[in-house]
Structures are given as C-alpha cells and as structure tokens.
Amino acid sequence: MDWNKFCEVFADCELLGNKILIKSRLHDVIEFVTDNYPYDMLKEIIAIHNQDGLVELVYHLYSTIDEENLLISILVKDRAESIVDIFESAQADENEIYDLFGIKFIGNDKLKRLYMPENWEGHPLRKDYVQDDTRLCWNDDNDS
Amino acid sequence: MTITTLKLNLGPQHPSTHGVLRLILELDGEKILSCEPDIGYLHRGMEKMAEQMSYIQYLPTVDRVDYLAGFFYSELLCRIVEQAQCVELPDKVRVIRVMLLELNRMASHILWIGMFLMDLGATSPFFYTFREREMILRYFEKISGQRMMYNYFVFGGVRRDIDYLEDVEEILSILPSKLDDYEKLIEENPIFRRRVVNKGILEKETALNYAITGVNLRASGVDFDYREQDYLYKGFDIGKVILKEKDSMARYRARVLEIKESMKIVRQALDYLKKSSPLEQKLINPINLKLPEGDYYADIEAPRGIASCFVRSTGEKEPYRLKWRTGSYYSVNLLRKLLVGEYLNDAIAIAGSLDIILPEVDK
C-alpha cells in the first residue's frame, strides 16, 4: 500500500507497522483513508484507559477485498470526534465507549447508557473507577 | 389531519427476542418508522472481570460469552496466550480444535433453524432440531464433561486426547438425512416462503457499513470467510457458501448449506484423527503466567460473524485491558436500519434471520 499520499496530507502522523498514530483530525483521517484506500469495514473501536489518564482509541479498519488490517490510534481526554457519518457501525462502538469509558463523541447525538443504569455514576472500565459502590447490591432503601 | 404514531416495546421478555433484547419501535399503523435497540439486560461485565483475574482463572468464564458457541471463545483466549508465548500447536491439536469448532458451529446453526422457525410460528421444527443438536452435545459431554461450557481447550493444547470418534462418525452419517427432512418440511412450505422470500433485504454496501460479518455477510453476496486465512484451518478444504439473494431466505439457506460444508471439514478432521498417533503436546504452565508487555489480537470465524479478542498486557498476571468483538453486537445495531419501513410481523422474522444471541451482545 502506498502511504506517500497519506503522509503528504497528514504530516504529524507516525506510522508503526500497520498502526498509524495520529494526534488530531480523526474524522478527516478516517474519511481520507476510506476514500483513497480499499478499507470498507470498521471492524471495531477499542478503547484503553492508559495509566497517564488518557484514553487511547484504536480504530480497527479492515478491507474485505485484500484482507488487510489498518489500525488508527488517537489519544483523547474526554471527547472525540464521531465517525458515525462514515461508518454506521461506529454507533454501536461509540455508544459502548461512552458507557464504559465516559468519552463523549461530538456529532453523535444518540449516545446513552447501554449496559449501566441511566443514573449510574462513573464508567466501569476506567482505571479510576471506584469499585465497591454500595449501589451494586441494588438496595433502593440504602441511603448511605 | 395529524398522524399519530405508537411507541411499542418489543421485549425484553418477548420469546422471539432470543433472551433479553428490547426493541423500541415507533409504529404508524403496522409499519415501523424507527427502531431503537436497547441492550444490557444480560450484561455480566466479562471485560471488567478479565482485568481482575489471571489468564487461567478467566479461561473457564469465556465459554459464557456465547453459550451456544463456547469453543470459539476459549479458542480465542488460548490463541492470545499461545501467540504471546510463541507456541506453535502440534498438528493433532490443530485438527482436534478444528473438528470441535466445526461441530460447535453445526450445533449452533441447527439450533438457529429451530429458533427461527419458532419465531415464525412453527413449533415442531424446534423439537426436531433439538434432537439433532443433542447428538452433538452428547459428544461434547463425553469428551469434556459439559454440555455447553466446555473448558476443553487449554493454553498450548487441549485438556485430554480426543476419543469416542465413532460418535462423530454416527453424527456425520445421521445428519445428512435429517437435513434433507428439514428441507422437505421447511423450504417448500408456502407460509414459510411468504414470510422470508424478499423480506429483510440486506444490501452488500449496508452490510459492510454496519460491520456485519459471517453468514449474514456471505448471504448478501460478499466473498469473505475468515477461515481461509486462519492458520488453524491450514490444509483443510473449506467450501464457502456465498449467496446472492440478500433476503431472509438467503440467510436461512446459507446456514443450512454451511452445516453441510462444516460436515465436510469434520470428515477431513475425522479421517486424520482416526489414523493419528496418541496426542503429544507441550502445555503452557498457567501458574504465574505473565504475558510479555504489548498488544495481542486474535480473530476467528464464529457462527455469528467474526469474533475477536484484544488483550493489552503490561507484564502483569492479569490483562491490563481485554476486549471482545462479537458478531451479534453489530447485527443488533443493524436492526435500526433493516426494520425501518417493514411491517411489525416481519420485524420478528427479520430480526430472527440475523441470528442474534444476547449473551454475545451484552458480554
């Protein structure tokens, strides 16, 4: 795959094997990649809460034509650009990440709590999540 | 004149939601204007749990990610550990795993046929398919001690040598005639045909955009089967099932044909195992097992689309982060699009045809 064109447009990217580390313009990068290269599927978005407090989002693109993977990785604090307008499947992933990591995706207005109850505080897969929450025993009368 | 629309909760206790899926439908008469899936009723925190367990502690729980295809998820976790420890599997272990995976795929598809027909209102096929699935489950019970949660694959190999091969032989000899029976019973039935032919058309572009994989994608005419590039299936002849019709009927046909193809793979594995010498394998010691720092990724073609596992290790006993990708999760998201413009009674048939299984969705 010819990455010269890509590196011309997005100069501040780092290429590591089949993983591209980007710093900003996530939406533009994904749009550019899908327009110019045969990646036709967003397999999944993986979120990892790093020890430094930032959340790493790894966009896993896949091409069913030449069976190649491409990973695009970005570090975010609490908000990221939504790519629902490019890949509809991102709706599922972004919603999950919103629920479990508390990342707000700008441009996605359908975000809601998915696995956790609507009034739940905190996002369980973050490393700073307090686990021994008294609400876990589902006692509504518990005032403490 | 004002149009009044009706909001209808389909599920979470509806029998055809295969567990606990809730669909919030907006209806105009019987026509669906919008669909909003609501999931999370079966959430067990599989990913959070992994961060507090060592790999060997976590291994028995992964069968529960999808309880109808447990082998696939154990295989994924084993594959991650084997990849990290640079272990190459002996040929016999590879063949044993392929045979069990394909039998599991057959059991899963056979169950789906019964479930799908029950969604459409035909209760008797459900009993027939359970009878056939039982043969496979009995075999699994004989070799692993469990009917559904096998815990048979271990890091670097399998729990014990394969046995009772005559049972597999019996399954392979009985099943073809049963599948013919299904075909006679189901496929020519005018009521069945009216509810599935040309219903729930899933275009190729939509399927890819919604990250649909597996049988659903192949029934929309996309030539993509992950087993082709899987090292586990090296040396096996894999017949792909690719259909062009794109409707619910195509998804039904694709699954029936895939059972037949799986049977051919099991036959190849069985022929190898009958002649093979006793199992020799080098298992990875799971006590104090620590994966070297780094990211690990594994995929597999599960019955409901590509399943994959991502692990980031920081060199500790527990994974720093573990994520599952499951096929059904994306199929549920597809319902937002696929059900719009359809009638309510077709909604159940279309949702059923995608083979959604809720433990896999909620994880």
Side-chain angles (χ1 to χ4, degrees):
Chain A
M1 191 145 291
D2 178 25
W3 288 106
N4 296 335
K5 204 160 90 186
F6 183 85
C7 298
E8 269 172 37
V9 184
F10 303 100
D12 62 341
C13 294
E14 215 180 312
L15 203 62
L16 285 173
N18 64 347
K19 188 171 174 178
I20 305 174
L21 307 176
I22 58 169
K23 295 194 177 74
S24 58
R25 293 168 71 198
L26 171 73
H27 187 276
D28 293 348
V29 170
I30 306 258
E31 197 165 33
F32 183 84
V33 168
T34 47
D35 286 351
N36 293 284
Y37 303 101
Y39 293 104
D40 48 6
M41 188 189 281
L42 175 71
K43 214 163 139 194
E44 61 179 327
I45 307 174
I46 301 166
I48 307 131
H49 192 206
N50 285 342
Q51 264 138 350
D52 58 7
L54 294 176
V55 174
E56 184 181 348
L57 298 176
V58 184
Y59 289 72
H60 197 137
L61 293 168
Y62 190 76
S63 162
T64 53
I65 300 151
D66 47 20
E67 294 174 351
E68 262 189 73
N69 287 302
L70 174 71
L71 308 177
I72 294 172
S73 161
I74 188 169
L75 287 166
V76 297
K77 199 159 169 275
D78 54 1
R79 48 190 62 218
E81 289 171 50
S82 168
I83 55 156
V84 181
D85 54 331
I86 308 170
F87 286 108
E88 293 283 352
S89 66
Q91 176 65 42
D93 292 302
E94 289 179 0
N95 209 336
E96 192 181 57
I97 294 169
Y98 168 73
D99 187 22
L100 300 176
F101 288 88
I103 305 292
K104 205 134 174 58
F105 287 90
I106 313 296
N108 185 345
D109 51 2
K110 286 187 191 154
L111 296 175
K112 58 169 186 186
R113 293 313 285 253
L114 205 61
Y115 302 127
M116 310 307 286
E118 264 159 41
N119 55 354
W120 195 264
E121 276 170 37
H123 303 278
L125 283 184
R126 291 182 73 91
K127 295 288 171 186
D128 51 14
Y129 176 69
V130 184
Q131 252 195 71
D132 43 2
D133 196 313
T134 49
R135 283 171 304 174
L136 282 171
C137 52
W138 293 101
N139 187 356
D140 288 337
D141 305 326
N142 195 348
D143 294 327
S144 58
Chain B
M1 196 181 82
T2 52
I3 301 170
T4 47
T5 59
L6 174 75
K7 273 225 162 133
L8 182 76
N9 272 308
L10 189 70
Q13 259 81 33
H14 194 281
S16 68
T17 53
H18 299 239
V20 278
L21 170 66
R22 174 176 169 224
L23 296 174
I24 305 161
L25 302 173
E26 198 185 350
L27 300 175
D28 172 19
E30 282 212 42
K31 214 161 200 166
I32 297 168
L33 299 178
S34 74
C35 166
E36 178 73 29
D38 184 22
I39 61 169
Y41 295 92
L42 203 57
H43 182 55
R44 294 147 295 162
M46 295 297 289
E47 290 171 7
K48 181 77 185 167
M49 217 152 62
E51 292 173 11
Q52 296 150 30
M53 284 176 159
S54 65
Y55 293 93
I56 190 68
Q57 280 177 322
Y58 191 53
L59 186 61
T61 64
V62 298
D63 289 310
R64 278 103 175 140
V65 175
D66 176 358
Y67 46 54
L68 297 181
F71 276 130
F72 289 88
Y73 291 87
S74 336
E75 165 64 23
L76 276 178
L77 189 66
C78 291
R79 204 176 273 194
I80 292 275
V81 173
E82 284 148 16
Q83 191 186 332
Q85 302 286 322
C86 304
V87 171
E88 226 175 274
L89 295 178
D91 272 352
K92 185 162 181 188
V93 173
R94 221 163 45 78
V95 176
I96 292 174
R97 285 190 181 181
V98 166
M99 190 178 86
L100 294 174
L101 289 174
E102 291 306 315
L103 281 170
N104 205 178
R105 189 192 309 278
M106 282 154 61
S108 172
H109 284 345
I110 289 173
L111 176 88
W112 174 82
I113 295 174
M115 295 293 274
F116 183 47
L117 267 291
M118 200 154 84
D119 288 351
L120 299 177
T123 40
S124 41
F126 189 68
F127 298 106
Y128 293 127
T129 55
F130 257 66
R131 184 184 61 194
E132 270 71 83
R133 176 172 174 261
E134 193 60 32
M135 293 191 299
I136 301 176
L137 291 196
R138 284 225 178 106
Y139 176 64
F140 288 160
E141 192 180 8
K142 272 187 181 174
I143 57 151
S144 71
Q146 286 253 37
R147 288 162 54 81
M148 281 167 95
M149 318 297 173
Y150 314 107
N151 193 18
Y152 182 73
F153 296 167
V154 287
F155 305 140
V158 290
R159 185 79 56 193
R160 58 182 75 82
D161 202 354
I162 198 88
D163 208 348
Y164 306 107
L165 289 175
E166 62 282 0
D167 285 35
V168 184
E169 192 73 62
E170 199 191 335
I171 293 168
L172 291 186
S173 65
I174 292 177
L175 210 54
S177 65
K178 302 290 182 195
L179 286 176
D180 291 344
D181 284 351
Y182 298 163
E183 243 162 89
K184 275 185 225 145
L185 257 175
I186 299 164
E187 270 173 47
E188 295 305 315
N189 185 322
I191 304 170
F192 174 71
R193 290 189 71 87
R194 211 168 291 164
R195 295 202 62 184
V196 293
V197 176
N198 286 329
K199 294 281 161 64
I201 304 261
L202 174 59
E203 291 298 336
K204 185 177 159 179
E205 290 73 25
T206 318
L208 289 170
N209 202 8
Y210 277 82
I212 302 300
T213 46
V215 191
N216 295 336
L217 185 64
R218 288 194 287 277
S220 287
V222 180
D223 178 359
F224 174 57
D225 190 329
Y226 192 77
R227 280 178 289 179
E228 276 186 324
Q229 32 175 321
D230 198 330
Y231 78 94
L232 204 68
Y233 289 84
K234 212 166 61 192
F236 281 92
D237 185 19
I238 294 153
K240 282 184 294 182
V241 179
I242 294 141
L243 299 179
K244 299 241 160 0
E245 289 84 1
K246 304 170 186 172
D247 54 359
S248 297
M249 183 66 175
R251 292 191 278 278
Y252 165 83
R253 292 270 312 140
R255 286 200 175 84
V256 175
L257 292 173
E258 201 153 277
I259 296 172
K260 292 182 180 169
E261 291 303 330
S262 288
M263 273 165 33
K264 287 182 196 157
I265 301 175
V266 173
R267 164 61 61 198
Q268 294 168 41
L270 191 62
D271 290 345
Y272 175 94
L273 290 175
K274 271 184 184 164
K275 286 181 282 187
S276 64
S277 47
L279 180 65
E280 276 175 42
Q281 56 182 0
K282 240 179 111 184
L283 297 182
I284 298 168
N285 181 8
I287 313 293
N288 283 330
L289 176 69
K290 288 174 184 165
L291 299 197
E293 217 177 301
D295 291 357
Y296 304 96
Y297 196 81
D299 314 78
I300 198 163
E301 178 81 35
R304 277 161 275 278
I306 289 189
S308 54
C309 180
F310 166 86
V311 170
R312 171 166 290 181
S313 171
T314 46
E316 295 295 317
K317 267 196 276 181
E318 305 88 15
Y320 182 76
R321 164 92 171 106
L322 186 145
K323 184 187 185 294
W324 294 106
R325 182 218 194 263
T326 57
S328 296
Y329 186 60
Y330 296 91
S331 304
V332 167
N333 189 42
L334 176 69
L335 292 178
R336 286 174 207 274
K337 161 103 182 160
L338 212 55
L339 295 189
V340 173
E342 300 284 348
Y343 287 101
L344 179 60
N345 57 353
D346 287 333
I348 292 176
I350 293 166
S353 76
L354 292 173
D355 193 6
I356 292 164
I357 185 97
L358 268 295
E360 209 190 53
V361 176
D362 286 350
K363 295 183 275 271

